[in-house]
Amino acid sequence: MAPMKTAGYTFLPTSEILSAMASHSASIRADQRDPAMGNGTDTDNHTNDDSDADADGDTDRPGRPFLPPALRSESFAARRSSEWSTTTNTSSTALLAPSTSASTSSSTLPSTSFDLESAPGLFSSLRNPSARKRRLHRIRTGYFSWPLICGMFAVLVLVYTAIDHFLPDSSLLSLSGGVYTHAGQESVYAGQAQGGGSDTAPHHVAVAVGDADADPALIGVMPFKGDTTHVLVPITPIPPSLDLLRPITTRPPHRVLSTYYLDGTYHSEGSPAPQSQLDIVYLWVNSTSRFFQDALVAKAAEEHVVGARGRARRWRDNGELRPAIRSAVQHLGNALRKVHLLTGDYEFPLDEFRDRLPYEDEMEEGVEVLGWRAGQIPTWLDWDRVANANAVGAGASANGKVAWHPHSEVFRLPKDHGVLDGRLRDGTGQEEEKWREEAIPSFDSFEIESRVGWISGLSENFVLSNDDMFILSSLSASDFHHPLLGTVVRFEPSPQLLVKPVFTPDLLSTPGEWGGLQHASLLLSKRFPSRPRMYMHHMPKALTRSLVQEASVMFAEDLTKAATRAFRESRRGEGDVEIAWLVTHLGVERWREALLWSWAVAKVGGEAGEWGDGAREEVRGVLKIKAGGEGEVEDEVMVVKGKRSTLGNVAAITKRAGWGMPRKSTYTFSSMDGHLPPRPDIDIISTSCSISLSKCFAPDFLSSSTPYPAQEIFRNIAFVHPECGDCLIDALVTASGTRGLSAFLPSETDVYYPEQRDPAEWERSEPMLPLTSTWEGVDFSLNRVVRPGQDTWDGIQPAEDGAVRLREWCIKLLSRYAYTFAITPSHFAMVRTYRQLENTLASFDRREDLAMVCINDDQPDYAGEENRRVYREWTERRWGKVQATWEREWGMKRFEGKRGRRSMKRKSEQKEVGTG
């Protein structure tokens, strides 16, 4: 913006004047710094321009703004000249300065530009009395009236202070060339940098995100000075990967679990096991951020995606996140341990924002910083509280309720004790670095969700949610996970919504969800039986960390390729993968596989690994086949599933154990009763199926004396002919009685002595069947699967002779995948107009039975403020009084109490309980 002249004065852009003022401290420190670095810029917004030291003593500090190595050799003088000679803000507020004639000497301010090299000298003269005296005449006659500049500076200070005090989110006008706009409480980039927040001195934050049993992610995250919507995330050499597939520590004690799995009863000796708390994960981005938009446009061009910027509805923020978190905290109560907020972080022009970078002495020692990324945070989030609480591992304390994670933390590849999965190696040793360059930034929620297994400090049992999902009623941990019955799943059993294992070319770049769903179904059908699978309710989803990480290892190749798709419309790879749906159905299939393996390989095959005469007697007993010659036995055997009462004593057991019963969910099917039926929502009195002996086992199986490898029988009934396995499960459940799984489990005396060898890739102390993406050609034998010490937990030591107790091994394996189907009153609303939004929210208020809702914003891209107003009013009524200690002190309650003088229009723009 060129200066304007009028009435003997030149109007200069505010940015130029303030940039000159900011350079004052840099000039007086120039001789204290490394010449190769050039003169730094004082990054603190001080207002005492005539003192010998700034208020916090920062002026004379020997530190310097921390620059990544790539920028350190740049000449400061050249940079300063190029930066100051260009004015990018065409709408900055102008200040008055006396105009000069065209014949003014080079040492004075020309009428068309600001003398950049003389500006530091101008302000350094204020500290040097002799220099001040020598320049006094030139200042008064050549630059501008000194009393005037002091007066205008004082005005700026007053304006700065007034904005900082009166705006509820402390959003400040951008002073670096950007245009400030405001939408509710979320500051919006529309130019360069944005101001915001309380202007306290920056400090180093070493964020240790997680609980005591997790690997802490120490991130040298720093505040982005003058900006409440971003933090600085250092770019460092890739740190050690999170240790995947850690032992599960939330199981009930051995005696409780083994008794329940045997006969469905509760063993109450000793202290009851506490019910573990839940974490909840939210994904969020601020699409109004300049950094977000720049990254989106660049990534769309890289992947040849057209029109990415125009799809506002996909990233539009109606202020949902804030009340969504409040709803979870209020209605989950003590069941909620921690909220994990996963947000985007993006590269930004460091040279343009170097005055916002931290000083070297503020950086964590020993951390090699290669650059910086701008990590997004909601403007209402109290960063100091969140960062400090996590730094000391505050866990579930009030201040430690919210943990923050950038995308760059979780976009990692699966490594077994630091060694990249063998299927992903290309021999370069740089596989993860190259992959990360391609994968992030990401704007595809499917692929961001696929990395949640790398969230540091994530609890074993957690809930994956979106910012448009709200909890309306009080819930307990058992609404999402029961200590004995496992993860609570919510499927839609309608035949019209079955997800087929078919992926057609038209699904590769679809913006909807069915491409990700059917690709996930196809992956499952390569590893397990190929069949359509139930659609999953679009509500907060209960997951386990261990199963998410299992999926990340089992389908490493497919998920790694899919994660490079930054948009759903991308043409990269083989399609998106809907991870929550994949993981939930993976648990269903792993449970079925574990049941059949426990019976066919561990119990019947045993240490010998063969099906012989004993196996034939076992089959006769399970299928109730009377003894006789082969000709007397029909090949087709009918199986009628008996009545079960697993769920009948759940309430009594839960009460005796001191656990919480589900408050809004009705359990209708438990995996303790077998494999998931087509209608788990209906209590069917009796079902039947048939088994072909020759197809399921072998021709002349009952009359032959030929031994068969146990793992071959298992493969046949589990994968080749899955209908055999499904029917056998019904028969074995019936043989177990009305409760428990005794017919599947080896006897108490059955042991196995694994051979001594080095651990194979991904072998852990946890029992797991092979983590492969296909069943074909996989070794399912005891020798391959069972390792020493995997049968122990809860203080039970492994046998001294190396024996593994197979019953304990199988129970531990099964408990990893247990699940229960539940019906929970919930509602999914697709909203296309703000009137429809009003009616939808009103209907929610009338229904006291509702536990969870999802409000899907499908309005046109031009929809805006009316939506925010409707959301704001509704969320304020419901969650306006939640004690949100993770929010800024000047939050909604303080704003309402002290800002009553503001006009109703201003309230509508600023006061947002639900600003996301």
Side-chain angles (χ1 to χ4, degrees):
M1 171 179 171
M4 297 181 295
K5 297 173 59 178
T6 180
Y9 290 91
T10 296
F11 284 80
L12 296 174
T14 305
S15 58
E16 291 190 4
I17 297 296
L18 294 180
S19 295
M21 293 176 179
S23 70
H24 161 51
S25 343
S27 66
I28 68 172
R29 290 199 300 261
D31 59 346
Q32 299 176 348
R33 301 186 178 180
D34 184 353
M37 287 288 295
N39 292 332
T41 303
D42 189 3
T43 56
D44 295 326
N45 295 325
H46 302 298
T47 58
N48 186 359
D49 65 318
D50 207 22
S51 63
D52 289 337
D54 290 322
D56 61 355
D58 225 20
T59 299
D60 298 316
R61 64 189 294 176
R64 57 192 177 196
F66 185 87
L67 303 178
L71 296 181
R72 292 186 179 181
S73 61
E74 183 183 4
S75 167
F76 175 76
R79 173 181 57 79
R80 184 177 61 187
S81 177
S82 64
E83 285 180 353
W84 286 26
S85 61
T86 303
T87 303
T88 58
N89 181 8
T90 59
S91 59
S92 297
T93 305
L95 298 178
L96 286 173
S99 177
T100 59
S101 64
S103 60
T104 304
S105 66
S106 61
S107 63
T108 63
L109 177 65
S111 60
T112 57
S113 66
F114 200 100
D115 186 349
L116 305 176
E117 296 303 322
S118 64
L122 165 65
F123 291 103
S124 65
S125 69
L126 301 180
R127 294 184 180 260
N128 189 329
S130 59
R132 187 185 307 129
K133 187 174 181 179
R134 290 195 302 269
R135 291 176 177 262
L136 184 59
H137 179 71
R138 281 190 297 160
I139 292 176
R140 288 177 174 171
T141 60
Y143 287 101
F144 35 73
S145 171
W146 179 241
L148 178 61
I149 189 60
C150 287
M152 295 307 298
F153 188 78
V155 170
L156 283 174
V157 172
L158 292 174
V159 171
Y160 181 101
T161 304
I163 293 174
D164 184 37
H165 179 73
F166 288 108
L167 283 185
D169 58 357
S170 295
S171 297
L172 306 179
L173 294 177
S174 169
L175 300 180
S176 59
V179 180
Y180 173 81
T181 59
H182 203 281
Q185 283 193 328
E186 192 61 55
S187 303
V188 180
Y189 269 99
Q192 291 188 19
Q194 173 170 333
S198 58
D199 218 18
T200 56
H203 59 278
H204 172 257
V205 179
V207 184
V209 195
D211 46 11
D213 64 346
D215 295 330
L218 296 177
I219 307 174
V221 180
M222 304 287 294
F224 204 145
K225 300 175 182 180
D227 183 356
T228 59
T229 62
H230 294 89
V231 291
L232 290 172
V233 180
I235 300 175
T236 63
I238 297 180
S241 180
L242 202 67
D243 187 15
L244 303 183
L245 303 176
R246 292 190 295 270
I248 297 175
T249 60
T250 56
R251 287 186 179 95
H254 167 262
R255 180 59 62 186
V256 171
L257 206 58
S258 62
T259 303
Y260 189 76
Y261 271 66
L262 276 174
D263 56 24
T265 60
Y266 178 72
H267 182 85
S268 58
E269 290 183 10
S271 301
Q275 188 169 15
S276 61
Q277 292 177 297
L278 305 166
D279 284 1
I280 189 166
V281 177
Y282 289 96
L283 277 62
W284 178 81
V285 294
N286 173 15
S287 63
T288 61
S289 163
R290 167 197 169 178
F291 305 142
F292 174 94
Q293 290 292 334
D294 289 350
L296 182 142
V297 171
K299 200 68 175 178
E302 176 186 324
E303 297 197 26
H304 307 290
V305 174
V306 180
R309 183 188 285 271
R311 296 182 175 90
R313 76 184 73 178
R314 185 172 303 168
W315 300 292
R316 178 166 51 220
D317 178 22
N318 294 314
E320 302 101 329
L321 178 63
R322 195 177 193 178
I325 293 178
R326 287 186 172 198
S327 75
V329 171
Q330 174 174 316
H331 294 305
L332 287 176
N334 292 332
L336 180 62
R337 189 189 72 103
K338 182 166 287 192
V339 176
H340 295 272
L341 183 57
L342 183 59
T343 75
D345 58 322
Y346 311 100
E347 294 184 2
F348 65 97
L350 295 178
D351 194 56
E352 184 177 336
F353 293 94
R354 69 174 61 206
D355 62 325
R356 307 287 189 91
L357 302 183
Y359 285 89
E360 284 187 326
D361 58 0
E362 296 170 327
M363 299 298 299
E364 183 178 359
E365 295 184 5
V367 176
E368 181 183 356
V369 177
L370 307 178
W372 298 97
R373 300 170 68 88
Q376 293 189 327
I377 58 173
T379 191
W380 44 261
L381 186 68
D382 190 328
W383 174 252
D384 286 347
R385 287 192 177 189
V386 170
N388 290 333
N390 285 320
V392 297
S397 68
N399 291 345
K401 204 72 170 181
V402 177
W404 175 83
H405 310 267
H407 289 172
S408 58
E409 175 191 325
V410 300
F411 269 77
R412 303 297 304 272
L413 293 181
K415 293 182 178 180
D416 180 21
H417 299 303
V419 179
L420 187 65
D421 187 292
R423 295 164 292 179
L424 304 179
R425 301 175 202 159
D426 61 10
T428 65
Q430 302 295 316
E431 296 89 350
E432 188 166 27
E433 290 84 347
K434 293 189 295 184
W435 173 79
R436 280 165 59 89
E437 289 178 0
E438 195 173 15
I440 51 177
S442 180
F443 307 91
D444 187 339
S445 61
F446 284 154
E447 306 317 325
I448 298 170
E449 288 179 353
S450 74
R451 320 319 291 177
V452 297
W454 277 269
I455 292 178
S456 56
L458 185 65
S459 64
E460 170 62 19
N461 303 313
F462 72 96
V463 178
L464 181 62
S465 189
N466 294 334
D467 62 358
D468 58 358
M469 297 177 180
F470 304 92
I471 299 177
L472 303 188
S473 301
S474 293
L475 302 178
S476 74
S478 295
D479 284 285
F480 295 97
H481 187 276
H482 189 276
L484 290 176
L485 300 181
T487 303
V488 176
V489 301
R490 298 175 177 90
F491 294 123
E492 175 52 62
S494 170
Q496 288 73 34
L497 288 177
L498 291 176
V499 181
K500 300 178 181 179
V502 178
F503 193 79
T504 55
D506 61 295
L507 295 174
L508 177 62
S509 303
T510 177
E513 64 178 341
W514 281 90
L517 289 171
Q518 293 193 207
H519 189 195
S521 184
L522 182 62
L523 295 180
L524 288 171
S525 292
K526 292 178 179 179
R527 176 59 176 80
F528 305 101
S530 179
R531 63 180 92 192
R533 294 175 169 87
M534 297 178 194
Y535 182 78
M536 196 171 178
H537 287 173
H538 195 60
M539 290 291 153
K541 301 172 180 67
L543 300 172
T544 65
R545 180 186 63 198
S546 56
L547 206 50
V548 171
Q549 293 178 352
E550 267 195 46
S552 301
V553 173
M554 292 180 70
F555 306 107
E557 292 177 284
D558 297 280
L559 292 178
T560 297
K561 291 177 184 177
T564 63
R565 297 167 51 87
F567 304 90
R568 294 187 186 181
E569 296 85 356
S570 175
R571 306 294 299 179
R572 281 180 175 171
E574 299 174 0
D576 285 322
V577 178
E578 216 285 23
I579 194 68
W581 187 92
L582 173 76
V583 168
T584 305
H585 278 283
L586 175 62
V588 171
E589 294 293 349
R590 290 288 260 183
W591 171 265
R592 174 185 179 274
E593 181 182 63
L595 284 177
L596 292 172
W597 187 93
S598 296
W599 178 69
V601 179
K603 179 180 180 178
V604 180
E607 188 171 9
E610 291 183 344
W611 272 41
D613 293 339
R616 294 176 176 84
E617 292 304 314
E618 171 74 12
V619 169
R620 287 180 180 274
V622 169
L623 299 182
K624 300 178 180 179
I625 300 174
K626 295 180 180 180
E630 181 69 21
E632 300 177 14
V633 178
E634 297 288 340
D635 185 62
E636 292 286 336
V637 179
M638 183 66 65
V639 173
V640 178
K641 186 175 182 179
K643 180 67 176 177
R644 297 276 287 181
S645 58
T646 298
L647 298 177
N649 65 345
V650 168
I653 289 176
T654 302
K655 183 177 180 180
R656 287 178 60 191
W659 303 325
M661 278 294 292
R663 295 179 179 173
K664 283 289 185 176
S665 303
T666 302
Y667 298 163
T668 60
F669 173 79
S670 168
S671 59
M672 296 294 292
D673 292 330
H675 181 53
L676 185 70
R679 292 301 303 268
D681 56 328
I682 299 175
D683 184 16
I684 300 177
I685 297 177
S686 178
T687 60
S688 62
C689 58
S690 63
I691 287 180
S692 169
L693 297 176
S694 59
K695 183 171 68 174
C696 297
F697 304 112
D700 303 327
F701 170 72
L702 292 180
S703 60
S704 172
S705 60
T706 304
Y708 300 95
Q711 66 164 322
E712 293 301 327
I713 297 292
F714 165 72
R715 266 200 289 260
N716 192 60
I717 61 177
F719 308 119
V720 179
H721 299 293
E723 67 278 10
C724 294
D726 294 346
C727 195
L728 275 168
I729 289 175
D730 283 352
L732 288 162
V733 165
T734 302
S736 299
T738 58
R739 296 190 181 107
L741 298 170
S742 58
F744 291 89
L745 300 173
S747 72
E748 191 172 8
T749 59
D750 285 345
V751 295
Y752 177 69
Y753 293 88
E755 68 176 21
Q756 297 299 318
R757 59 173 174 80
D758 292 333
E761 188 177 43
W762 296 115
E763 282 187 344
R764 294 292 188 270
S765 61
E766 280 284 323
M768 287 180 286
L769 296 179
L771 298 171
T772 56
S773 59
T774 179
W775 61 267
E776 296 184 83
V778 176
D779 185 354
F780 287 96
S781 67
L782 280 176
N783 185 54
R784 167 61 180 83
V785 173
V786 178
R787 303 307 305 147
Q790 291 179 332
D791 59 333
T792 63
W793 79 85
D794 190 29
I796 300 178
Q797 299 301 316
E800 294 182 359
D801 59 357
V804 173
R805 292 155 292 194
L806 290 177
R807 174 180 288 183
E808 277 68 25
W809 197 100
C810 292
I811 291 175
K812 198 173 178 182
L813 173 71
L814 287 165
S815 68
R816 187 178 179 90
Y817 308 112
Y819 65 91
T820 185
F821 181 90
I823 298 174
T824 306
S826 56
H827 186 85
F828 174 86
M830 181 75 77
V831 175
R832 294 184 171 86
T833 67
Y834 85 89
R835 291 293 185 191
Q836 185 181 8
L837 176 61
E838 286 183 322
N839 294 335
T840 297
L841 298 180
S843 71
F844 292 165
D845 291 338
R846 291 191 296 268
R847 290 190 56 185
E848 296 183 358
D849 65 311
L850 278 178
M852 299 180 291
V853 297
C854 176
I855 307 170
N856 190 270
D857 180 9
D858 197 43
Q859 299 180 72
D861 287 355
Y862 55 77
E865 181 55 32
E866 281 300 317
N867 289 338
R868 298 176 66 84
R869 177 189 63 80
V870 174
Y871 269 114
R872 183 168 58 246
E873 293 174 355
W874 183 67
T875 57
E876 180 181 347
R877 290 195 303 271
R878 280 189 170 268
W879 301 292
K881 296 182 179 180
V882 173
Q883 296 298 315
T885 56
W886 56 91
E887 297 178 13
R888 294 184 180 275
E889 294 179 342
W890 40 258
M892 184 272 301
K893 292 175 66 177
R894 178 174 179 267
F895 172 70
E896 286 183 341
K898 297 185 177 181
R899 303 296 185 260
R901 299 186 302 273
R902 192 168 291 123
S903 67
M904 292 302 296
K905 179 179 179 180
R906 188 61 175 169
K907 284 184 179 180
S908 174
E909 294 175 351
Q910 302 287 352
K911 183 186 67 176
E912 291 205 42
V913 175
T915 298

